Amino acid sequence: MEKLPATSFCLLSCVLVLFLSSVSAVTDDPQDKQVYIVYMGSLPSGKEYTPMSHHMSILQEITGESSIEDRLVRSYKRSFNGFAARLSQPERERMAEMEGVVSVFRSKKLQLQTTASWDFMGLKEGNKTKRNPAVESDTIIGVLDIGIWPESESFSDKGFGPPPKKWKGVCSGGKNFTCNNKLIGARDYTGEGTRDLDGHGSHTASTAAGNAVAGASFFGIGNGTARGGVPAARIAAYKVCNSTDCTDDAVLSAFDDAIADGVDFISISLGGEALKYEEDTTAIGAFHAMAKGILTVNSAGNSGPSPTTVSSVAPWILTVAASTTNREFLTKVVIQNGKTLAGRSVNAFDLQEKNYPLVFSLPEVKGNDIFVSRYSYGSDVAVATIINDYTHFATINPRPLSALSPDDYNFLLSYVKSTKSPQGTVLKTEAVFNQKAPKVASFSSRGPNPIAVDLLKPDITAPGVEILAAFSPLGSPSEDRQRDQRHVKYSVITGTSMACPHVTGVAAYIKTFHPDWSPAVIQSAIMTTAWSMNASDTGFTSTEFAYGAGHVDPIAALNPGLVYELDKADHITFLCGLNYTSKILRLITGEAVTCTGNTLPRNLNYPSMSAKLSGTNSSFTVTFNRTVTNVGIPNSTYKSMIVLNQGSKLNVEVTPNVLSMKSVKEKQSFTVTVSGSNIDPKLPSSASLIWSDGIHKVRSPIVVYTYIPDSI
Ligand SMILES: *[C@@H]1O[C@H](CO)[C@@H](O)[C@H](O)[C@H]1NC(C)=O
Ligand SMILES: *[C@@H]1O[C@H](CO)[C@@H](O)[C@H](O)[C@H]1NC(C)=O
Ligand SMILES: *[C@@H]1O[C@H](CO)[C@@H](O)[C@H](O)[C@H]1NC(C)=O
Ligand SMILES: *[C@@H]1O[C@H](CO)[C@@H](O)[C@H](O)[C@H]1NC(C)=O
Ligand SMILES: *[C@@H]1O[C@H](CO)[C@@H](O)[C@H](O)[C@H]1NC(C)=O
Ligand SMILES: *[C@@H]1O[C@H](CO)[C@@H](O)[C@H](O)[C@H]1NC(C)=O
Ligand SMILES: *[C@@H]1O[C@H](CO)[C@@H](O)[C@H](O)[C@H]1NC(C)=O
Ligand SMILES: *[C@@H]1O[C@H](CO)[C@@H](O)[C@H](O)[C@H]1NC(C)=O
Ligand SMILES: *[C@@H]1O[C@H](CO)[C@@H](O)[C@H](O)[C@H]1NC(C)=O
């Protein structure tokens, strides 16, 4: 799950531990059986092909066993072809050689990674935003997550008619799980039922498409109307995670089903490490979704701010980074001498502004003290804890807590040490206006893209910090059920997991006005109309590798003017450029593919442009070929403009630099030539290309880089 651990004392290290534990080593015993995914690409056309029996016969041949019930874990047979099976190492090797097999890879574990956020993005409440209610009501969002809480008000079907006719899914959420006309589908791949026992799944689903629910808050904190981007849309929940694991084989099954069930969008706030496309289940599933006109939106990952940490790397996926909104939560510490320090946390406990002794030595802490400590380890005996662990975002904790910046913490500590009977208190959290928003969060995973070095990822950033949305009453708001007995219907979570469904909601909102737009056109509209961003002052370097094209702007994305179109064939050409063999390409696409010429991956008609240069300190010239399609005013003339980012010494030329369009859907091509020398080896050099007709601004980031060291 791409959310962050609630306990602030181990923020970065916890994430690291989660990541390390996910790549548990393959055991050396060749007879030891692991679950492998045998990916076989597209379903062959023709009625005579029966995937299940093919899967079983391959498995029988490889294992030499006639009874393979305990070997076959899952079959993928509705939207693409393949299966998951328990195999030994030698069996795996033989399997990889079989006719019809694209790849065989370990089924790994993935992590799951108010709503003021929509106002912040300009999508106002109620009739202040123009909507297309009939189409919105026919839109279905598939959410692959840890389940959903069907009784949440966010998923009530008050005012909803029957499911759209195109819906072919089911409600099989297990015992005591009922769907309705809002939550129209549920499937479970974990064996524990689709009910959300954690909170993460209800949170992401309600952010994308939850009803508008007034008076939602976490014990009064963040009180307001919680709502999704498309409140009239329907939700189908696919539970791919249990309380401990999300597995690749389950994720692939959920894609197989969701595509066949008839969803319009897939939102997946999950990730692991960046993988080659043919071994990345999200990329495989999303490729087949794209071929059916379904856009997949995925979180970038929570492993920032180190470079090369982005885990969602395919061009047919919209990859989302996390940033702040103009609302942040502060938990003030008031010292008896009158000084107030602004700490962080989501603290619903009310100490009634009463002063308590401040104690920094653990053995001396008693029930009537506030413990002042570097970390939150320590005394549950104390009334409250004040820690030195300012993490750029507020977390919910089982006990009253405020996290101070190092300066404030040191100030407090010297006060405590130099004062006879130091006293103070921790206040209840208040929401304040954050005028520095949006800034990309430190934890949000960064590029460059380790799999396709000339494809910029993440694509876009969206609100992912301190987001209030629906929760499961069985989940623990602080992820510490032992110490925290609170049960809530709405809670505050932070992570790229929370940013992802915001963009899913925006994509669905756009499609309600442009039902004929393909996934790539929607992605282009979102990227080229994004708010431009620049270097952050949060203490972490923020570049296009953090925010991609910038911050999502739902209203501007409705009217992009020009778009960069892409279809399945273009993505295949891109894979050809990455030197995929034509045999594998045929299996993936389900048709014969001949890679012609040697089209460079950077000439994919993507809304951003990026190139890794081979050497430093030398002069270079790179070109990007692009084609735009007019979706704006029929008769319009666009002129190009280049905006160099601060410190950039690039020379950028656009040919032609004027595009005259005569009709809608007209296409025109151009070439961008970027040259320079001795560019900074530590940072990307970047610029923006803007095509403008005086009404629209169609902006694409241009990024070139050499080597990005491990620590920026
Ligand atoms: C918008 O909603 C408000 C409050 O529900 C209502 O008073 C107003 O008439 C509505 N405006 C339009 C244009 O529908
Ligand atoms: C079904 O689940 C709801 C929500 O947890 C609970 O209130 C209800 O008691 C359950 N009913 C049964 C029969 O288990
Ligand atoms: C939330 O705000 C509404 C309207 O301002 C108010 O009626 C309600 O009591 C508030 N709820 C909480 C828990 O503060
Ligand atoms: C979760 O699923 C994994 C993989 O299927 C399994 O090994 C694990 O035991 C499950 N955990 C629980 C708590 O059921
Ligand atoms: C960064 O972006 C902000 C907001 O768009 C803008 O006000 C500011 O001038 C920019 N700073 C630089 C150095 O470009
Ligand atoms: C693909 O192969 C060509 C020819 O061998 C090589 O020049 C190119 O660098 C390779 N591309 C990638 C992405 O590996
Ligand atoms: C490369 O360029 C950098 C900065 O321009 C300079 O510090 C470095 O000495 C150069 N290295 C070589 C090998 O020329
Ligand atoms: C890119 O565009 C230029 C100029 O139109 C053209 O000469 C070149 O062949 C194009 N390259 C590719 C790979 O399409
Ligand atoms: C298109 O624009 C040109 C230049 O502004 C103008 O001369 C022409 O009449 C326009 N054509 C139409 C069909 O509007």
Side-chain angles (χ1 to χ4, degrees):
M1 297 185 240
E2 301 202 319
K3 68 173 174 192
L4 288 154
T7 36
S8 53
F9 64 81
C10 66
L11 169 63
L12 288 172
S13 52
C14 282
V15 174
L16 197 66
V17 169
L18 281 172
F19 262 78
L20 290 176
S21 64
S22 75
V23 284
S24 45
V26 179
T27 122
D28 289 323
D29 179 358
Q31 292 314 312
D32 195 24
K33 294 180 190 65
Q34 309 276 346
V35 176
Y36 287 93
I37 290 169
V38 181
Y39 174 52
M40 301 169 69
S42 282
L43 280 168
S45 47
K47 285 207 173 56
E48 68 281 8
Y49 183 76
T50 49
M52 271 290 266
S53 54
H54 188 205
H55 301 162
M56 291 196 293
S57 74
I58 293 181
L59 207 46
Q60 280 165 342
E61 184 177 338
I62 290 290
T63 62
E65 297 166 10
S66 56
S67 163
I68 42 95
E69 277 80 50
D70 59 340
R71 296 295 206 109
L72 187 64
V73 178
R74 302 176 196 279
S75 262
Y76 312 114
K77 53 184 188 295
R78 299 183 70 201
S79 303
F80 44 85
N81 199 7
F83 58 94
R86 287 192 182 80
L87 301 173
S88 66
Q89 187 60 27
E91 287 165 351
R92 187 207 80 86
E93 284 162 18
R94 288 201 301 279
M95 186 68 84
E97 300 303 312
M98 291 294 281
E99 175 78 33
V101 170
V102 174
S103 52
V104 182
F105 56 95
R106 264 288 291 287
S107 175
K108 295 165 297 299
K109 291 175 188 171
L110 303 172
Q111 290 89 43
L112 288 171
Q113 310 226 353
T114 108
T115 266
S117 51
W118 290 109
D119 283 307
F120 176 63
M121 293 189 282
L123 207 61
K124 304 287 182 206
E125 213 178 315
N127 60 14
K128 283 177 232 140
T129 289
K130 67 168 177 170
R131 298 238 171 226
N132 204 344
V135 185
E136 192 170 312
S137 170
D138 271 349
T139 303
I140 307 166
I141 315 283
V143 182
L144 276 53
D145 210 294
I146 193 166
I148 195 161
W149 190 261
E151 293 81 13
S152 169
E153 234 187 298
S154 292
F155 313 124
S156 143
D157 70 352
K158 199 164 154 248
F160 282 81
K165 289 202 177 62
K166 65 188 177 194
W167 175 241
K168 294 190 283 291
V170 296
C171 184
S172 61
K175 262 194 282 177
N176 192 22
F177 188 104
T178 320
C179 295
N180 60 31
N181 285 334
K182 169 78 183 177
L183 173 59
I184 60 173
R187 291 185 188 268
D188 171 38
Y189 306 91
T190 66
E192 63 179 32
T194 310
R195 190 170 284 284
D196 179 3
L197 311 176
D198 174 276
H200 187 278
S202 306
H203 205 277
T204 54
S206 65
T207 300
N211 297 320
V213 177
S217 72
F218 181 74
F219 299 101
I221 298 168
N223 189 12
T225 300
R227 61 195 164 98
V230 276
R234 320 297 177 117
I235 294 169
Y238 298 83
K239 180 161 169 171
V240 296
C241 305
N242 64 14
S243 57
T244 53
D245 295 308
C246 316
T247 60
D248 269 337
D249 55 297
V251 167
L252 206 49
S253 277
F255 269 104
D256 190 32
D257 284 331
I259 295 166
D261 287 349
V263 304
D264 296 296
F265 292 91
I266 291 174
S267 193
I268 173 165
S269 291
L270 279 174
E273 50 182 340
L275 296 165
K276 293 187 286 179
Y277 299 130
E278 72 273 30
E279 298 188 357
D280 174 346
T281 47
T282 304
I284 292 169
F287 185 91
H288 293 279
M290 172 272 295
K292 293 270 164 57
I294 303 163
L295 177 64
T296 300
V297 186
N298 187 202
S299 42
N302 293 339
S303 305
S306 299
T308 328
T309 43
V310 62
S311 58
S312 174
V313 291
W316 50 86
I317 293 177
L318 185 47
T319 305
V320 189
S323 45
T324 55
T325 72
N326 58 5
R327 182 187 69 186
E328 67 182 336
F329 293 127
L330 289 187
T331 303
K332 286 181 185 160
V333 169
V334 182
I335 312 175
Q336 203 180 27
N337 70 6
K339 180 137 173 114
T340 297
L341 307 172
R344 282 190 178 275
S345 74
V346 179
N347 176 40
F349 303 104
D350 193 350
L351 301 184
Q352 312 281 340
E353 302 188 20
K354 186 170 178 279
N355 280 320
Y356 293 90
L358 300 171
V359 177
F360 67 87
S361 167
L362 186 56
E364 287 161 31
V365 174
K366 292 184 293 294
N368 210 30
D369 296 334
I370 291 180
F371 183 37
V372 178
S373 160
R374 194 154 168 214
Y375 304 109
S376 70
Y377 311 122
S379 177
D380 273 356
V381 172
V383 169
T385 308
I386 299 170
I387 61 168
N388 173 16
D389 194 10
Y390 193 80
T391 52
H392 301 273
F393 61 91
T395 59
I396 296 175
N397 299 276
R399 315 266 303 149
L401 178 143
S402 179
L404 297 180
S405 68
D407 283 355
D408 282 354
Y409 180 79
N410 288 332
F411 175 88
L412 180 67
L413 206 57
S414 59
Y415 165 79
V416 171
K417 286 180 175 166
S418 65
T419 307
K420 187 114 182 283
S421 322
Q423 295 219 342
T425 192
V426 174
L427 303 188
K428 196 177 166 183
T429 295
E430 54 191 289
V432 299
F433 183 75
N434 171 18
Q435 69 179 42
K436 287 183 181 162
K439 296 284 178 207
V440 176
S442 58
F443 60 79
S444 190
S445 289
R446 264 80 167 160
N449 179 340
I451 303 300
V453 296
D454 289 350
L455 180 76
L456 185 67
K457 286 280 169 176
D459 295 306
I460 193 87
T461 187
V465 176
E466 301 168 9
I467 304 300
L468 178 77
F471 203 69
S472 163
L474 295 185
S476 168
S478 54
E479 292 178 58
D480 188 345
R481 188 40 94 212
Q482 282 193 329
R483 294 166 66 219
D484 190 352
Q485 308 299 317
R486 293 175 294 177
H487 298 269
V488 297
K489 293 179 171 168
Y490 289 84
S491 193
V492 177
I493 324 185
T494 289
T496 53
S497 275
M498 284 64 240
C500 167
H502 277 98
V503 173
T504 311
V506 171
Y509 175 67
I510 295 168
K511 185 139 174 140
T512 63
F513 290 93
H514 304 287
D516 58 327
W517 281 9
S518 70
V521 169
I522 294 172
Q523 173 163 356
S524 176
I526 289 175
M527 288 172 67
T528 63
T529 59
W531 301 343
S532 64
M533 292 177 73
N534 54 37
S536 164
D537 61 358
T538 54
F540 294 98
T541 311
S542 199
T543 68
E544 286 81 359
F545 289 141
Y547 49 73
H551 191 284
V552 63
D553 179 345
I555 302 294
L558 290 179
N559 189 11
L562 304 175
V563 290
Y564 294 81
E565 282 194 280
L566 278 173
D567 59 16
K568 194 171 98 176
D570 296 311
H571 287 299
I572 291 165
T573 305
F574 168 82
L575 293 174
C576 287
L578 292 175
N579 295 338
Y580 277 64
T581 65
S582 48
K583 178 189 159 219
I584 288 192
L585 288 170
R586 176 175 52 79
L587 291 170
I588 292 177
T589 62
E591 59 207 53
V593 180
T594 325
C595 291
T596 48
N598 52 347
T599 305
L600 298 170
R602 69 166 180 266
N603 281 326
L604 179 75
N605 199 37
Y606 210 64
S608 61
M609 295 165 217
S610 181
K612 183 174 195 286
L613 306 172
S614 43
T616 52
N617 287 31
S618 48
S619 59
F620 65 89
T621 302
V622 284
T623 60
F624 301 91
N625 284 18
R626 292 291 184 274
T627 300
V628 284
T629 306
N630 185 16
V631 295
I633 301 154
N635 189 6
S636 49
T637 301
Y638 285 84
K639 296 195 174 98
S640 73
M641 185 170 78
I642 296 295
V643 178
L644 292 182
N645 286 354
Q646 221 182 14
S648 166
K649 291 182 292 184
L650 300 178
N651 179 27
V652 184
E653 274 175 41
V654 184
T655 356
N657 60 11
V658 176
L659 303 176
S660 289
M661 298 285 189
K662 302 269 175 311
S663 60
V664 172
K665 294 197 178 158
E666 184 176 342
K667 288 180 190 289
Q668 296 217 16
S669 298
F670 60 91
T671 300
V672 176
T673 306
V674 182
S675 55
S677 59
N678 294 327
I679 63 168
D680 188 341
K682 293 196 197 68
L683 286 173
S685 290
S686 63
S688 288
L689 162 64
I690 301 168
W691 285 108
S692 181
D693 63 348
I695 296 164
H696 305 94
K697 278 190 168 172
V698 190
R699 191 176 57 85
S700 290
I702 302 169
V703 179
V704 295
Y705 68 104
T706 53
Y707 166 71
I708 304 291
D710 285 343
S711 54
I712 51 169

